[in-house]
Amino acid sequence: MEELVGLREGSSGKPVTLQELWGPCPRIRRGVRRGLEWLKERLFRVGEDWHFLVALGVLMALISYAMNFAIGRVVRAHKWLYREVGDGHLLRYLSWTVYPVALLSFSSGFSQSISPFSGGSGLPELKTMLSGVVLEDYLDIKNFGAKVVGLSCTLATGSTIFLGKVGPFVHLSVMISAYLGRVRAKTIGETENKAKEIEMLSAAAAVGVATVFAAPFSGVLFSIEVMSSHFSVWNYWRGFFAATCGAFMFRLLGVFNSEQETITSIYKTRFRVDVPFDLPEIFFFVALGFICGVLSCAYLFCQRTFLCFIKTNRYTSRLLATSKPSYAALVALVLASITYPPGVGRFMASRLSMAEHLHSLFDNNSWALMTRNSSPPWPAEPDPQNLWLEWCHPRFTIFGTLAFFLVMKFWMLILATTIPMPAGYFMPIFIIGAAIGRLLGEALSVAFPEGIVAGREVNPIMPGGYALAGAAAFSGAVTHTISTALLAFELTGQIVHALPVLMAVLAANAISQNCQPSFYDGTIMAKKLPYLPWIRGRQIGSYPVTVEHFMNCNLTTLAKDTPLEEVVKVVTSTEVSQYPLVETRESQTLVGIVERTHLVQALQTQPASWAPGQERFLQDILAGGCPTQPVTLQLSPETSLYQAHSLFERLTLQSLFVTSRGKAVGSVSWAELKKAISTLINPPAPK
């Protein structure tokens, strides 16, 4: 049945349906319809980024919460088994050690059998990728499954192995981002855009941190500091939008599951708000920063040295090459035996989970003053309301247990980082920093039991505030980041210690960044991944050093008037991926770039119309359809090292040609830049 139409009075003659003509309030309905169309146009004018970022944040929040839920059930089952086996030391020891040994063996074997790229945190490799290096299959979807299963088994061991999930979750988020990007490109027929892909991967890195700590602000800043040397501010909104969606969804799931009444911080504290610290305490916070900086340098040096030792030692390298699960089981057995509660683990609060470690260390009461006159008994089971009792022992003081915890966890964490399995290393470093700050805070509370007098008021010292500053300072020094200060505030929900915490983080970074590479840069060096080192402090000496001092002058060029016989000789005798194309052999004027693969394909498919015996030149192949690329960027011999380094960093370049008045005179790649920077930082001794 045909729809009846009519003409509106005063219209230009365009027919409308009778339903629209006779409907109520036609002008209002037309205005609403136009408003909705305008809103739709404005909302989706930026493309599909909104849908993409929302989906990314929600998916990562669901994965993070589901993993926490499953791991919590497994950890509780382990604790139940440990309690129910009885009082026999052998059964209790076996129940404590066999569990993590089996889980770590399976984690290492399963993840490595599916994908060798699933081990470790993944942040060093991601940092390398965002600098322009292509790592094949690193973001493949099968790697995602291996990482999820392996990480779940690693975290199910609890505080026995003492590892986290920040780094692997950043890797998981980036993999999901890459997969969603490929799906979107195939769906809408979009061509590959390398710059857009890097922008989305940067936003995905922020989502990984935000869905672990429910901290969107520090998640974005931490991912920028760790993953990027330069960042486009106009891309800020992608990271913040996706991180906010992920953090909100992660905390909302906790409310829906009745874990909490509303959205709050993960590690809530009860610090005084009116006078959280006295002015003289600023000196001790800065001193804490220097202590964390020195200890972070020691940790970074030992961790990098031990990792290189494990890779070069004849026995351990053979074991890692032939049987990774056996190595994981051996290390897990050592760590689990040390943390056995009736043994040495009794002196290092080994019955607490990693979350309970932080909750207890952030306690604002002084344990040393509470146990000055009496030593409380060691409870048979951890008391959720008095977790600090796990740090007390009749034979040890609070200072003894905290110091013993730091010494043991220092080398145990270094040993755990060598296991080839999915694991994160930020959370253990954060807890170690909190223990350092707690130790100093307890010492100050004993030295000043009534507080430091500032004017007429006396306020007791809160060791929990020093634990918060120590956690931010030590983790910031190890990772070379400042955003850990903001992360500490978002985790605890209090910002009363903003100034002293930030000063401690800056003091720690001042020492660490001048003495040692960061944890992730050190891992890149140990794994021998391609990387471009920073020019530390942007030394003034990097300006007088110019490209002509370190460029590669052995440049193989192909001229258009080169005979094909010589072209074949050049292609067969060299292994470069691309050749600079010059106008003539005499002028050497750079006009373009020809890829080796395209050139080989063109040489193998010569046109049949060519007369036999007739001499042909390279320009004949180019005219026949061999593609060339224009030279959009090039260096001058007078370009400074600092300018060349900045150009490579910001544009994620791998190599550039050097021209002088249009003539190709050399090339610069990462190898030449790294050698020049190394010579600048460590100049050779004068002869």
Side-chain angles (χ1 to χ4, degrees), residues 412-672:
M412 290 171 66
L413 179 58
I414 292 177
L415 180 61
T417 57
T418 63
I419 306 177
M421 62 180 184
Y425 312 117
F426 178 83
M427 196 63 176
I429 293 171
F430 196 80
I431 295 176
I432 290 176
I436 296 173
R438 185 80 199 189
L439 184 60
L440 178 62
E442 292 289 347
L444 291 175
S445 67
V446 173
F448 304 97
E450 301 297 331
I452 300 178
V453 179
R456 296 182 178 178
E457 295 185 2
V458 177
N459 300 291
I461 291 177
M462 291 190 299
Y466 289 87
L468 183 66
F474 187 73
S475 59
V478 171
T479 57
H480 286 190
T481 56
I482 308 296
S483 56
T484 53
L486 182 58
L487 176 62
F489 304 144
E490 288 191 275
L491 281 178
T492 59
Q494 285 189 293
I495 200 171
V496 292
H497 287 86
L499 184 59
V501 169
L502 184 57
M503 294 177 69
V505 172
L506 291 174
N509 271 272
I511 296 177
S512 177
Q513 294 193 22
N514 286 321
C515 299
Q516 291 291 328
S518 71
F519 176 84
Y520 305 113
D521 291 339
T523 306
I524 289 175
M525 298 177 194
K527 291 184 176 182
K528 297 182 179 180
L529 297 172
Y531 77 103
L532 190 62
W534 286 12
I535 301 180
R536 290 188 181 178
R538 301 303 186 200
Q539 288 98 332
I540 301 299
S542 63
Y543 291 92
V545 180
T546 57
V547 167
E548 64 179 346
H549 293 122
F550 59 86
M551 70 179 181
N552 179 21
C553 299
N554 298 324
L555 188 63
T556 303
T557 61
L558 291 178
K560 291 183 178 180
D561 56 356
T562 304
L564 290 186
E565 292 78 6
E566 295 186 18
V567 174
V568 173
K569 291 181 181 179
V570 170
V571 172
T572 54
S573 61
T574 58
E575 297 294 336
V576 296
S577 60
Q578 58 185 13
Y579 298 96
L581 182 64
V582 297
E583 189 65 36
T584 62
R585 285 181 285 183
E586 289 145 1
S587 67
Q588 292 290 308
T589 303
L590 186 64
V591 295
I593 300 172
V594 57
E595 297 286 340
R596 176 190 176 88
T597 55
H598 297 157
L599 189 58
V600 171
Q601 185 179 5
L603 289 172
Q604 293 175 348
T605 58
Q606 295 182 2
S609 59
W610 285 6
Q614 183 179 358
E615 187 176 14
R616 297 292 179 179
F617 300 93
L618 178 59
Q619 59 188 0
D620 298 325
I621 290 183
L622 299 178
C626 181
T628 61
Q629 301 176 7
V631 183
T632 56
L633 288 174
Q634 51 191 304
L635 297 175
S636 169
E638 288 76 25
T639 305
S640 68
L641 171 61
Y642 171 74
Q643 291 172 330
H645 182 270
S646 299
L647 195 62
F648 271 71
E649 273 192 331
R650 297 183 185 186
L651 301 181
T652 62
L653 303 174
Q654 298 297 309
S655 63
L656 282 178
F657 293 113
V658 184
T659 59
S660 177
R661 298 180 180 179
K663 180 180 178 181
V665 294
S667 64
V668 173
S669 65
W670 276 27
E672 286 78 29

Side-chain angles (χ1 to χ4, degrees), residues 272-278 457 459-460 462:
R272 291 193 309 269
V273 178
D274 49 353
V275 185
F277 59 91
D278 287 317
E457 295 185 2
N459 300 291
M462 291 190 299

Side-chain angles (χ1 to χ4, degrees), residues 57-69 211 214 245-264:
V58 171
L59 282 176
M60 285 307 302
L62 291 173
I63 294 172
S64 180
Y65 188 81
M67 186 177 293
N68 287 352
F69 184 83
T211 51
C245 292
F248 176 74
M249 188 65 185
F250 178 71
R251 300 306 289 158
L252 195 63
L253 290 172
V255 176
F256 288 163
N257 199 34
S258 302
E259 296 177 2
Q260 53 193 22
E261 296 181 359
T262 185
I263 296 178
T264 58

